Amino acid sequence: AECAIELICVRGVLTSLGYEVKGPVEVGTDNTGAYNLCHRFGAAQHSRHIDRKLYKMRELRGAGIVTVKYVPTDDNTADLFTKVLTRQPFEKHRRRVMNLTDK
């Protein structure tokens, strides 16, 4: 939810600078629990502490401002910045972030 709100703010800045931004903000997650809660597939018993953010995400999704997609862990490049990775996933995500071609 915080990521989506930040991206909406960035989108507003870009729009005020004259850039045309089309379509909804796309947010990806590799957490199936968060994805399922956002898409109303059920509610977990221990999710009361995130209710406010959850309702905000549902509201943004319903309004068509944000789309939430599931990103498999193996394809989640953000893990490069948030986790200690073994060599193979590290090099895979590093190539993607640095826009390097396979040689």
Side-chain angles (χ1 to χ4, degrees):
E2 291 176 20
C3 175
I5 292 168
E6 288 290 327
L7 290 171
I8 291 168
C9 290
V10 169
R11 182 181 183 171
V13 170
L14 290 172
T15 302
S16 69
L17 292 173
Y19 291 97
E20 184 179 342
V21 182
K22 296 180 181 180
V25 172
E26 186 176 292
V27 179
T29 182
D30 65 350
N31 184 322
T32 55
Y35 177 83
N36 290 339
L37 284 171
C38 187
H39 287 83
R40 301 178 192 245
F41 292 145
Q45 179 182 358
H46 303 289
S47 64
R48 281 184 252 147
H49 66 287
I50 60 169
D51 278 345
R52 293 170 67 204
K53 291 180 183 179
L54 170 65
Y55 291 133
K56 185 63 177 176
M57 281 304 293
R58 286 182 180 172
E59 175 186 327
L60 293 171
R61 270 196 65 246
I65 298 171
V66 173
T67 59
V68 180
K69 72 174 195 168
Y70 177 74
V71 179
T73 301
D74 294 338
D75 299 333
N76 190 359
T77 305
D79 284 350
L80 179 66
F81 304 108
T82 60
K83 297 179 181 174
V84 177
L85 300 173
T86 58
R87 185 179 189 96
Q88 185 177 2
F90 172 80
E91 289 179 354
K92 173 186 172 185
H93 295 313
R94 181 185 64 182
R95 280 192 306 272
R96 187 168 185 191
V97 167
M98 297 181 73
N99 200 23
L100 301 174
T101 59
D102 293 329
K103 294 180 181 178

